[in-house]
Amino acid sequence: MSRDAGRLSLILLFTPFALWILLLIILPQIGIGYVSIREKVGINTYEYGFKNYVDFITEPVYRNTLLRTAWMSILVTALALVIGFPIAWYIAKIAKERSRAALFLMCLIPLWVSDLVRAYGWIVLLRETGVISMTLVKWGIISQPIEMLYNDMTVIIGLVYTVILFMIVPLVSTLQGMDDALLEAGYNLGGSRITVFRRIIAPYAMPGIVAGCIITFMLTAGSYLTPILLGGKNSSWFTEQIYNQFITRYNWESGSAFGVSLLVFTSFVVWAGLRLTGQSLATTVAKE
């Protein structure tokens, strides 16, 4: 294959991906940013400025909701890492070759149904007349049915269940590349399990940990259905505020400012996390 033919093939291969990035990610973000700096002063009359952002910053409800969303997203990410790491370790280093595909398939099964169906599955289990409550009453553990929905714990459980696969996949990808000789050398030198994990496994898996944490955090912060359905009116999730501005109040200018604020804030949290862990996005992507 000549050099020109190779270059043409490369362009043809990357053109759909470039169009996808341009049309569905970059242009919509530019449009939202443009709308967010408009202020409606009359019928079809707009002025440009940052009043929508000032309103967001000066309103405590919006600020607190964003901070609450960020905090719960960090908690969900940490729980997904704690639960997902042993699963990824078993798939990558312990399970036999034949059973790995079956284990991955089990992890993928929840994604065969939509977020809506998954959330309603939790509702069927946790509502006052649901499976768990009625079973506890039948067994005599509790005297009357209890409502397990519409609280932070339920929202966190539902979100961890939703995003944990996106933590497991990059971890498995990273851990599969680890040479078992590294572990044997660590144990032969007298290292305990904790020491081997802290000095060998964790540093080696750090690119997968960082990639998984970034994906799960961004997905959680941008989640809408699960917090609304499982948290009800008490969810106080920031995406609900964005939805209310766009759909309920039909205030696209404020909704766009909220959307840009969420993107900027979550990007800042990811940047801060990378700085605190001494990682960089470039090296993480390169190793993945």
Side-chain angles (χ1 to χ4, degrees), residues 63-85:
R63 294 200 317 266
N64 294 336
T65 303
L66 179 58
L67 293 175
R68 184 175 186 276
T69 300
W71 158 243
M72 291 187 67
S73 299
I74 293 173
L75 181 59
V76 168
T77 302
L79 290 174
L81 176 60
V82 171
I83 299 172
F85 196 96

Side-chain angles (χ1 to χ4, degrees), residues 36-53:
S36 70
I37 59 174
R38 295 196 312 178
E39 178 190 354
K40 193 172 185 178
V41 295
I43 300 176
N44 294 326
T45 305
Y46 298 92
E47 291 181 353
Y48 295 94
F50 296 96
K51 182 178 181 302
N52 296 317
Y53 292 97

Side-chain angles (χ1 to χ4, degrees), residues 96-108:
K96 296 181 179 178
E97 192 70 31
R98 291 182 178 179
S99 59
R100 284 178 186 169
L103 292 172
F104 255 121
L105 184 62
M106 290 176 63
C107 293
L108 287 172

Side-chain angles (χ1 to χ4, degrees), residues 170-241:
L171 283 173
V172 171
S173 176
T174 303
L175 291 172
Q176 278 183 327
M178 174 184 279
D179 193 339
D180 292 339
L182 292 174
L183 304 177
E184 295 175 4
Y187 289 121
N188 291 337
L189 291 174
S192 63
R193 291 188 175 184
I194 295 177
T195 302
V196 170
F197 177 81
R198 184 171 58 86
R199 301 292 295 273
I200 298 177
I201 298 175
Y204 191 93
M206 190 56 68
I209 294 174
V210 172
C213 288
I214 291 174
I215 296 171
T216 54
F217 173 77
M218 299 299 279
L219 287 176
T220 304
S223 179
Y224 176 74
L225 279 176
T226 302
I228 299 303
L229 293 178
L230 299 183
K233 295 180 180 179
N234 300 322
S235 65
S236 298
W237 210 255
F238 194 69
T239 49
E240 184 183 8
Q241 299 284 354

